[in-house]
Amino acid sequence: MGSADQLWLLPALPLAGAMLLLCTGRVTDRWGHWLGCLTALASFGVGVWAFTDMLGRDAADRGFYHSFFSWVPVAGLHADFALQLDQLSMCFVLLITGVGSLIHLYSVGYMKHDPGRRRFFGFLNLFLAAMLVLVLADNYLVLYLGWEGVGLASYLLIGFWFHKPSAAAAAKKAFVVNRVGDMGLAIALFVMFATFGSVDFHGVFAGAPHAGTGTLTAIGLLLLLGACGKSAQVPLQSWLGDAMEGPTPVSALIHAATMVTAGVYLIARSNPIFDLAPGARAGVLVVGAVTLLFGAVIGCAKDDIKKALAASTMSQIGYMVLAAGLGPAGYAVAIMHLLTHGFFKAGLFLGAGSVMHAMDEETDMRRYGGLRKVMPITFVTFGLGYLAIIGVPPFAGFFSKDRIIEAAFGYGGPAGTTLGVAALLGAGITAFYMTRVMLLTFFGPRRWAEDAHPHEAPVSMTGPMILLALGSVCSGGLLVYGSSLVNWLKPVVGEEHPEGSLPSWAVTTLALVVVAAGVAVAYRQYGRREVPVAAPENVSALTVAARRDLYGDAVNEAAFMRPGQYLTRSLVFVDTRGIDGLVNSTAALIGGLSARIRHVQTGFVRSYALSMLTGAALVVAALLAVRLL
């Protein structure tokens, strides 16, 4: 790829696949899944070609840009449909198309007997296309187009098995919650245009130093609201657990390579705004720190393997948001963890799908146990992802998560200490709940149902799992070697090396001690004791709260849904009894007067003559009275 003119191929290939698969009907039923895989792989090939071309250029000349047509040419607002490919978007392109292609290949086996497989691959292709438009956009309006496309595709995929009421409800919930965040992004665009007269990245970022701090803070907080919706951060996190109602490949795609990474990308891309708005950056830090602990606590109480991993995603994205809130010292580290997370979380979800496939779609880990002997490939690949996510050296998560903890302590002052402790505590809880998942699933006595016959998945599923496991092992070291990723992203997000309150070796030692403690506690609880098939009822209040997602739905219902209902009912009352009442009363008054005046019209000439005479007499009398006065 030597020309920016070919940028369109990246999103166009999966989009063409989606159109063919969704518009040709049953004609492509027999081979449509291979078409979906081919378009994803072709887009990945274009991305690798572009990456190779970038490596051969100077750092200042590595960006590709192309404007295809004038999209919104109206007075005062001009927005082109333009795409750009720079170092930041390149990271996402390779992640989206690479991991996305592996998930496509895995889906060939996973969805083999599903009658809607062609439609499923069409939705997967649409998801990739929308996400690629989002990360390749040259302005916020095109980004918003991809943003909404991702929301549509997620709705279609989460509710793919819409014949299940739970899946249909989960899709609607994800759609509605994300619309709240999308409103924040939309209003941010309005404020940008009103302030800078443009929604182009270049125009907005060039004007940011000349704007007021209050305006930049408002824009930053609105962008953060949008990021919270897409990346399932507090307070818009409630949709993520329910989204597990979709097929497992959907969970892997949403949680590893596409949707939940969009919010992190938005913050990193908008770094010139956040760097000039300390209040907005503080909001990012608070959201990230709260969410990483929020998701970790929830993950400790989930018996559903996919929901435990979903809570894990919420927590890990919280780490990324926390890092992004640290400014130039954290942007590159956030992207590093995002990339390593893409490998090990996709591998974990695909491993969970392999287990479910072998256990007749059973998701309760209390009904697993001892699967390592009958599913050795799944056990090894899942285990490597487990070691990566808890941060055991030399696996991927060790390099990225430790740097987030170190950067948090390096923030300085009481805030830095608080953020560092929160990140350390999150690492310990992560080690606990992920060890719990491993022990309940692969170790201990067999707790299967009598009719269960667990077996290893076919090659079409284990192949992608093996490749993702290799990424879980190697990606972290490759990204930190020679500060390769930091240097790569420096022209886009900048770089800063604050003096940390703790040396690197001390942070690493603390992190490993905390992780070891989490593993030990989990082993004592679930490795050395008998695991009941049914979850115990007599548990602590914290466990009850964690099982209920820390009452996230209840809080949203009390704080937003109920007041919204009351407000709506009040407006309806004002409309029906006030506005409509006034209009209807006026109509009734006129109608009543008309009915009464109608009785005067008798149809007799003598009556009309008398009326005319009486009227004339009254007029003469009035004239005489005026003259006498």
Side-chain angles (χ1 to χ4, degrees):
M1 178 175 177
S3 172
D5 296 340
Q6 298 175 25
L7 274 177
W8 63 276
L9 285 172
L10 286 166
L13 287 168
L15 181 60
M19 293 178 63
L20 285 171
L21 292 172
L22 298 176
C23 298
T24 55
R26 297 185 180 276
V27 176
T28 56
D29 273 354
R30 296 181 61 184
W31 48 269
H33 50 287
W34 293 117
L35 175 63
C37 293
L38 179 62
T39 55
L41 286 167
S43 185
F44 175 63
V46 174
V48 172
W49 185 11
F51 178 62
T52 304
D53 193 10
M54 273 190 176
L55 289 176
R57 297 169 178 255
D58 294 333
D61 190 36
R62 282 177 172 166
F64 299 106
Y65 168 85
H66 186 74
S67 176
F68 295 93
F69 55 86
S70 181
W71 186 20
V72 185
V74 297
L77 174 62
H78 183 87
D80 291 343
F81 189 89
L83 302 179
Q84 69 168 2
L85 183 63
D86 60 10
Q87 291 90 328
L88 177 61
S89 52
M90 186 77 256
C91 293
F92 282 83
V93 165
L94 293 177
L95 175 68
I96 294 164
T97 57
V99 175
S101 295
L102 293 177
I103 293 171
H104 275 68
L105 293 171
Y106 176 93
S107 301
V108 172
Y110 191 88
M111 301 294 290
K112 182 177 181 180
H113 302 293
D114 196 293
R117 181 165 65 167
R118 169 189 53 81
R119 178 168 54 90
F120 179 77
F121 275 85
F123 293 159
L124 287 183
N125 271 195
L126 180 63
F127 210 142
L128 288 192
M131 191 68 192
L132 287 168
V133 169
L134 191 160
V135 300
L136 289 170
D138 180 63
N139 60 68
Y140 281 102
L141 194 59
V142 177
L143 183 149
Y144 191 77
L145 173 66
W147 194 271
E148 292 302 315
V150 167
L152 170 62
S154 66
Y155 169 77
L156 296 172
L157 285 169
I158 294 170
F160 180 75
W161 288 325
F162 55 84
H163 57 275
K164 296 166 53 180
S166 57
K172 289 186 289 186
K173 183 177 182 179
F175 192 82
V176 170
V177 173
N178 271 273
R179 296 293 74 73
V180 177
D182 295 354
M183 185 60 67
L185 179 56
I187 296 174
L189 265 66
F190 301 155
V191 178
M192 288 176 190
F193 175 65
T195 305
F196 308 112
S198 173
V199 292
D200 292 342
F201 292 151
H202 177 75
V204 172
F205 299 159
H210 309 291
T213 303
T215 301
L216 293 175
T217 300
I219 294 174
L221 291 176
L222 289 167
L223 293 175
L224 175 60
L225 179 61
C228 286
K230 278 291 183 288
S231 293
Q233 299 293 283
V234 174
L236 301 179
Q237 81 292 343
S238 61
W239 65 271
L240 195 64
D242 294 327
M244 297 302 98
E245 290 293 338
T248 301
V250 174
S251 304
L253 191 63
I254 288 177
H255 287 247
T258 55
M259 187 169 178
V260 296
T261 65
V264 181
Y265 171 79
L266 180 65
I267 296 172
R269 174 61 70 187
S270 305
N271 66 87
I273 294 175
F274 285 98
D275 288 345
L276 295 170
R281 270 180 55 183
V284 175
L285 289 171
V286 171
V287 166
V290 169
T291 307
L292 76 87
L293 294 174
F294 197 95
V297 171
I298 292 174
C300 294
K302 294 298 182 183
D303 293 330
D304 186 310
I305 187 170
K306 288 176 64 178
K307 290 191 175 183
L309 294 177
S312 168
T313 297
M314 188 192 309
S315 178
Q316 296 304 307
I317 299 295
Y319 272 104
M320 302 172 205
V321 172
L322 169 63
L326 298 173
Y331 293 126
V333 179
I335 302 303
M336 181 189 300
H337 194 54
L338 186 149
L339 295 175
T340 59
H341 177 265
F343 286 104
F344 59 69
K345 184 51 63 68
L348 289 170
F349 265 110
L350 297 190
S354 178
V355 171
M356 292 167 56
H357 184 267
M359 297 293 290
D360 297 326
E361 299 304 315
E362 176 63 66
T363 61
D364 190 343
M365 294 183 291
R366 293 181 180 274
R367 299 181 182 275
Y368 293 162
L371 290 178
R372 71 184 187 282
K373 296 180 179 179
V374 293
M375 304 180 67
I377 298 177
T378 300
F379 167 64
V380 172
T381 55
F382 194 97
L384 293 174
Y386 154 74
L387 293 173
I389 192 173
I390 68 173
V392 173
F395 299 94
F398 166 74
F399 295 99
S400 55
K401 190 183 294 185
D402 268 27
R403 276 160 177 73
I404 293 177
I405 297 172
E406 183 180 343
F409 276 113
Y411 191 67
T417 302
T418 302
L419 295 172
V421 170
L424 269 178
L425 181 59
I429 302 175
T430 300
F432 172 83
Y433 70 74
M434 285 306 304
T435 302
R436 176 178 180 268
V437 170
M438 282 294 296
L439 293 173
L440 291 179
T441 303
F442 295 104
F443 293 88
R446 300 178 178 184
R447 302 181 297 275
W448 316 331
E450 293 183 0
D451 57 346
H453 301 285
H455 55 280
E456 192 59 88
V459 176
S460 61
M461 295 170 63
T462 56
M465 290 160 55
I466 292 171
L467 292 175
L468 290 169
L470 291 175
S472 300
V473 175
C474 304
S475 61
L478 292 174
L479 292 174
V480 300
Y481 180 75
S483 299
S484 55
L485 184 66
V486 173
N487 293 331
W488 174 261
L489 291 173
K490 185 177 179 180
V492 182
V493 301
E495 182 185 12
E496 183 179 302
H497 298 285
E499 294 185 4
S501 57
L502 293 174
S504 298
W505 65 266
V507 173
T508 299
T509 302
L510 275 174
L512 291 177
V513 169
V514 170
V515 167
V519 172
V521 173
Y523 179 74
R524 178 178 178 273
Q525 182 71 26
Y526 299 98
R528 301 182 63 181
R529 299 179 182 179
E530 182 180 355
V531 177
V533 176
E537 297 293 334
N538 187 20
V539 293
S540 65
L542 179 59
T543 301
V544 173
R547 287 178 179 176
R548 298 179 182 177
D549 297 338
L550 296 182
Y551 304 108
D553 285 334
V555 170
N556 288 338
E557 181 176 339
F560 302 107
M561 193 270 282
R562 294 300 178 192
Q565 282 186 331
Y566 296 143
L567 176 61
T568 302
R569 290 170 182 170
S570 300
L571 293 175
V572 169
F573 179 83
V574 172
D575 180 58
T576 56
R577 299 298 179 88
I579 300 174
D580 286 353
L582 178 62
V583 173
N584 294 336
S585 298
T586 303
L589 176 63
I590 295 174
L593 290 174
S594 299
R596 286 163 176 73
I597 294 174
R598 190 182 303 121
H599 294 298
V600 178
Q601 306 297 324
T602 63
F604 296 114
V605 174
R606 61 179 180 271
S607 298
Y608 299 154
L610 179 61
S611 298
M612 294 171 62
L613 178 62
T614 303
L618 290 174
V619 170
V620 170
L623 292 173
L624 290 174
V626 170
R627 186 170 182 180
L628 291 174
L629 293 174

